[in-house]
C-alpha cells in the first residue's frame, strides 16, 4: 500500500490505469471456461493455506498499527485473523469453486412462429468495484465471487487491513496465474487516499459496471449518494417482526428471541416488534419477558409500557433506528393492516416477518409490503445468501434494480439474447 | 400545458408534488388485480376511439404550431395523427391489455433442507419516468405498459405534441377512473420548461425508480449523463452484419438488403457490413450490387473499393456512425475473429448478426461478443420486443443492468422473496 506521496498525486491517472487493466482482463475472463475458473479458485484456497504464516505476520503488523491508532476492540476483532479464520476463508473460496458456473447458463428459450429460436443466456456484468472497511476476509470472498461470475474486480480495502489484504491478494493472484487467467482480473487499489474511492464512484470512464460497498452506514451512504454507476447495497436493515392475532404463542416467543438476539449486529436482526392489539393481553408480556431474559433492552410505546412496565419509553426516533445491538422497539398495531402501515412508514425495505396461522393475513402481508425479503413463521435472521441456498453472498441489496435481497454469483451476471434463424428477414 | 409564467417559477415544487402523487398512487396500483388493470386498459382503448375527433382537432393545432415553427417534414410526419394512427394506438393498448399480467408471477421457487420454502415473485418497479419527443402515441404506449406492469408513470412529452398528448392523456385517465384506479397512476408534466426534465433526472426525491428516454440521440445522451436514477435506453444502434466464409450467398444477399433497407430509421437497422476476406471475391460484389440497386449508398474501405468501384471511400468516422439512412459502411475482415475484433471496437452493443453455415464460427460469435442481441442467419431488424414475442416494448436497452434488449412489461418489474416457514429459527 503506497501513501499519497509514493503514488504521486495523480490518483485519477492511477485509477484510470487500473480501470483500463480491468477492462482488458474482463474480455478473456468473460469467456474463460468453467473448468479454468474452478481450477483458479481451488489454487487460491490452497495458496491461502500455504501462505498462512505470511498472512498472520502481515495481520500482526495491521493489528499493532490499529492498536496504536486507538481502534475499538470491536474493530480490532473484525481485523484480527487466526488460523481458524484463515481456514474459514479458504473453505469459503472452495465452496464458491463448487457452485454452478452461472456464465452461459440458459435462463429462458422460446420459438417464434417464423422459426426464430430465441435464447436468453447469462453473461458477466463486466467489472465490479468493491469498497470495504477493515475485514480482510472480504478480499478473498469478493475476489472469488467475482471470478466465479466472470467479472473482473477492483478491490479497495480499508487502510487498517492493508498489510493483511496485500498477502491475501497475492494468494488470489497465485491462483489466477496457476490457471492461466489474467492477473488483472483481481486488482487491489494500492493507495490509501480517499480520492481513489471518489474515482471509483465516478466509474473510471465506463470501466466499473457496479459498485458494492461493504461496511458501515456512513460508507454505504457516501457510496449511494456519490456513485455515478449502479450500486448493490443496503443502507440499513430496519427489520420488523409482526405477531398477528392468529400467531402460535410458543412459536412467536422462540422466533422473537432468535430474530433479535441470535446475532444483534447483522442486517437481518429484528429491530422493531409489532404486536397485534387484539392479542396484546395474552402475547405481549411472555414475548417481552423472553427478550428481557435473553438480555435485550425493551423500548415500548405508552401502551406497551402499561402492560410491561420494565420497558423504557420509545421515542419517535426509535421507530427508525437500526440498533444493531441488544435493544428492540415495541409497538401495538391494529392487525395486519396496522402492521403494514407501520412498516410502510419506517421500513428500510430489507426484511420483515409475520408470525400467523391465518393464511389471509399472511397473503396480505406478502402482497402489500414491498421489501426485498418477507418471511412467514420464520426468523428474520434467515435473510442471508447462504441460508437461501445461494452458496455465498457479496452483500444484500435493498434497491429494486437488477439485484434485490442476497447478492450471489447469479446476481453478479447480466444476460444477452442469442437468436438462431435459417434465413429470416423481417416483413 | 402551462407556460413557465402560468405554472409559477417553482418548477421544483411542482415536480415534487407530481412525484408525491405518483408515490401515493403506486401503492394501490402495485396491488391492483389483473382484472382491474385489464378493465382499465380496455376502457382506455375505447376512450381513445370515442375521442378521435377531439384528438384530431388537438393534433391540428399542434401541426399548425409546428409548421409555423418551421419543423421539418419528417418531424411533422412523426407528430401527425389520423384515424388510422389513432386506431393503431387503441389496438396497441388493447394488445397490452391481453398480455399476461407480470405482477405476482412466480419466477422461481425452491425448498431448503430446514423446510423453508422460498418464492421469488415479480413486483412493480414503482414509478417510471418517461421523457419523449414529438410522437404523441408514446403517451398511450408508455401509459399502458406501465399500468400493465403495476407502475405509476410520469410522462414528459415534447412541447410540439402538447395538445394531442393532453387529449390522449384524458382518454387514459377515463380508463383509470372507469376501473376504479387512481388517476395519478398516469400523470403528464404540465409545463414545457426544461427544468422539469432536470428535476425528473434528479429522481424527485426517490419518487422516480427508472427513467426511460424515447427520442433522438441528444435527448438520450443528456438523460444518460445527468440522470441520478437508473436509465433504460440505448444511445444508438450501431448494428453490424457479418458475412462469414461459410455463408450461403443467396441468404446473405436477402438478409443484407433487409437488415439495411427494410426501414433505415430504426435502431435495429444494420449500419456496417463486414465480409470475410476469404470470400470477398465471390460474395462481396453481389451483396453490394443488391444494396446499391435497393437505393443504398455504399462507403467502403480501400479494399472494398478495389472490388466494387461504385463505393465511396469510408473514413474512420464511418465505422462509428449510425446513419439511420440509406447508407452502409463496408469492410473486409479476417474471418469471425476479425469480425469480433471490429465489433468490439466500434459496436454500441445493441444488435449484431452473423450469416454462416459453420457452427463453430457461430458459437464463437455468440460467445465472444457482448451485445444485447446476437442473431444467426436472420436480419438485425428483428431487434424488437414485438418480434421477440413480448407483445410491446417501451424501448431497447443496451445497459447491462436489470433490463437489456427489448424492454417490455416483464422488464418493468422487480421482484421480492416470500419465504414460508413453520417456526424455523436460525441456529
Amino acid at each position: 500500500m503506497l501513501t499519497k506521496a509514493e503514488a504521486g498525486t495523480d490518483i485519477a491517472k492511477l485509477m484510470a490505469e487500473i480501470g483500463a487493466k480491468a477492462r482488458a482482463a474482463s474480455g478473456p475472463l468473460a469467456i474463460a471456461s468453467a473448468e479454468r475458473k474452478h481450477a483458479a479458485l481451488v489454487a487460491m484456497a490452497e495458496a491461502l493455506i500455504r501462505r498462512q504464516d505470511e498472512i498472520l505476520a502481515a495481520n500482526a503488523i495491521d493489528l499493532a498499527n490499529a492498536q496504536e491508532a486507538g481502534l475499538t476492540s470491536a474493530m480490532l476483532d473484525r481485523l484480527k485473523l487466526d488460523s481458524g479464520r484463515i481456514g474459514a476463508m479458504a473453505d469459503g473460496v472452495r465452496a464458491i469453486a463448487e457452485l454452478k458456473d452461472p456464465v452461459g447458463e440458459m435462463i429462458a428459450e422460446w420459438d417464434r412462429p417464423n422459426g426464430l429460436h430465441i435464447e436468453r443466456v447469462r453473461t458477466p456484468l463486466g467489472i465490479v468495484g468493491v469498497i470495504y472497511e477493515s475485514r480482510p476476509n472480504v478480499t478473498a470472498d469478493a475476489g472469488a465471487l467475482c471470478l466465479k461470475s466472470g467479472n473482473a474486480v477492483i478491490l479497495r480495502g480499508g487502510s487498517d487491513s492493508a498489510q493483511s489484504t496485500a498477502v491475501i491478494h497475492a494468494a488470489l493472484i497465485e491462483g489466477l496465474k496457476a490457471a492461466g487467467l489474467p492477473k488483472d482480473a483481481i486488482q487491489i487499489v494500492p493507495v490509501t487516499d480517499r480520492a481513489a474511492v471518489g474515482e471509483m464512484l465516478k466509474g473510471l470512464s465506463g470501466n466499473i459496471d457496479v459498485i458494492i460497498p461493504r461496511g458501515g452506514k456512513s460508507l454505504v451512504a457516501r457510496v449511494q449518494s456519490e456513485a455515478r454507476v449502479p450500486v448493490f447495497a443496503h443502507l440499513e436493515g430496519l427489520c420488523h417482526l409482526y405477531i398477528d392475532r392468529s400467531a402460535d404463542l410458543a412459536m412467536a416467543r422462540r422466533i422473537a428471541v432468535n430474530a433479535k438476539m441470535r446475532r444483534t449486529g447483522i442486517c437481518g436482526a429484528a429491530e422493531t416488534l409489532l404486536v397485534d392489539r387484539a392479542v396484546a393481553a395474552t402475547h405481549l408480556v411472555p414475548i417481552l419477558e423472553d427478550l428481557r431474559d435473553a438480555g435485550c433492552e425493551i423500548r415500548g410505546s405508552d401502551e406497551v409500557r402499561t402492560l410491561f412496565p420494565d420497558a423504557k419509553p420509545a421515542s419517535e426516533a426509535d421507530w427508525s433506528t437500526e440498533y444493531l445491538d441488544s435493544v428492540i422497539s415495541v409497538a401495538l398495531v391494529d392487525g395486519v393492516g396496522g402492521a403494514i402501515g407501520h412498516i410502510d412508514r419506517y421500513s428500510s425495505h430489507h426484511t420483515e416477518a409475520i408470525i400467523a396461522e391465518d393464511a389471509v393475513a399472511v397473503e396480505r402481508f406478502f402482497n402489500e409490503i414491498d421489501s426485498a425479503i418477507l418471511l412467514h413463521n420464520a426468523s428474520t435472521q434467515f435473510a442471508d445468501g447462504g441460508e437461501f441456498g445461494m452458496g455465498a453472498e457479496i452483500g444484500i441489496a435493498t434497491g429494486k434494480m437488477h439485484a434485490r435481497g442476497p447478492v450471489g454469483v447469479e446476481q453478479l451476471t447480466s444476460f444477452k439474447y442469442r437468436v438462431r434463424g435459417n434465413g429470416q428477414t423481417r416483413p
Side-chain angles (χ1 to χ4, degrees), chain A residues 253 256-257 260-261 270-275 283-315 318-319 323 325-332:
Chain A
R253 292 170 69 168
V257 171
K260 177 70 247 183
M261 298 301 288
E271 304 292 5
T272 296
L273 174 71
L274 302 172
V275 177
H283 287 35
L284 183 71
V285 171
I287 294 170
L288 296 188
E289 282 174 350
D290 286 355
L291 282 165
R292 180 196 58 202
D293 297 349
C296 187
E297 176 183 323
I298 316 286
R299 298 194 191 166
S301 63
D302 291 347
E303 286 176 299
V304 168
R305 296 181 68 218
T306 306
L307 292 162
F308 189 78
D310 276 10
K312 296 187 180 172
S315 68
D318 279 293
W319 312 119
Y323 303 111
D325 203 349
S326 302
V327 183
I328 195 163
S329 55
V330 186
L332 300 184

Side-chain angles (χ1 to χ4, degrees), chain A residues 310-351:
Chain A
D310 276 10
K312 296 187 180 172
S315 68
E316 174 62 24
D318 279 293
W319 312 119
S320 40
T321 297
E322 184 192 27
Y323 303 111
L324 294 174
D325 203 349
S326 302
V327 183
I328 195 163
S329 55
V330 186
L332 300 184
V333 292
D334 285 323
V336 68
I340 291 167
H342 182 104
I343 291 168
D344 267 355
R345 182 158 173 203
Y346 296 108
S347 171
S348 62
H349 305 291
H350 187 295
T351 295

Side-chain angles (χ1 to χ4, degrees), chain A residues 147-401:
Chain A
L147 176 63
K148 186 75 186 187
S149 48
N151 294 293
V153 61
I154 299 171
L155 299 162
R156 203 284 186 183
S159 52
D160 298 334
S161 56
Q163 303 293 328
S164 318
T165 293
V167 184
I168 294 167
H169 181 237
L172 303 185
I173 297 295
E174 227 183 281
L176 289 171
K177 282 186 182 162
L181 287 170
K183 71 172 176 35
D184 291 334
I186 303 177
Q187 295 182 81
I188 295 262
V189 176
V191 291
T192 55
D193 200 288
R194 274 170 67 93
V197 172
E199 293 296 325
M200 287 177 75
L201 298 182
K202 282 189 257 171
L204 304 182
S205 309
N207 286 330
I208 289 188
D209 294 289
V210 61
I211 294 263
I212 302 176
R214 289 290 306 266
K217 194 172 161 182
S218 66
L219 171 68
V220 176
R222 179 188 174 198
V223 168
Q224 287 187 329
S225 101
E226 291 181 25
R228 299 303 316 256
V229 288
V231 174
F232 293 163
H234 64 275
L235 189 60
E236 49 187 16
L238 215 155
C239 306
H240 294 78
L241 177 65
Y242 164 62
I243 313 295
D244 187 63
R245 64 192 64 188
S246 68
D248 175 295
L249 178 56
M251 186 194 289
R253 292 170 69 168
R254 281 190 296 113
I255 289 180
V257 171
N258 186 265
K260 177 70 247 183
M261 298 301 288
R262 174 185 161 271
R263 282 180 64 192
T264 57
I266 67 171
C267 57
E271 304 292 5
T272 296
L273 174 71
L274 302 172
V275 177
D276 191 339
R277 194 168 274 118
V279 290
T282 51
H283 287 35
L284 183 71
V285 171
I287 294 170
L288 296 188
E289 282 174 350
D290 286 355
L291 282 165
R292 180 196 58 202
D293 297 349
C296 187
E297 176 183 323
I298 316 286
R299 298 194 191 166
S301 63
D302 291 347
E303 286 176 299
V304 168
R305 296 181 68 218
T306 306
L307 292 162
F308 189 78
D310 276 10
K312 296 187 180 172
S315 68
E316 174 62 24
D318 279 293
W319 312 119
S320 40
T321 297
E322 184 192 27
Y323 303 111
L324 294 174
D325 203 349
S326 302
V327 183
I328 195 163
S329 55
V330 186
L332 300 184
V333 292
D334 285 323
V336 68
I340 291 167
H342 182 104
I343 291 168
D344 267 355
R345 182 158 173 203
Y346 296 108
S347 171
S348 62
H349 305 291
H350 187 295
T351 295
E352 335 290 347
I354 178 173
I355 311 303
E357 297 301 312
D358 172 7
V360 174
V362 175
E363 291 316 300
R364 209 177 146 198
F365 192 88
F366 274 9
N367 287 333
E368 297 190 21
I369 298 177
D370 190 25
S371 294
I373 301 172
L374 301 168
L375 299 118
H376 169 224
N377 287 353
S379 170
T380 56
Q381 300 236 354
F382 285 110
D384 174 89
E387 292 296 327
F388 271 54
M390 294 178 181
E393 65 173 32
I394 199 165
I396 288 191
T398 52
K400 290 182 187 173
M401 287 289 158

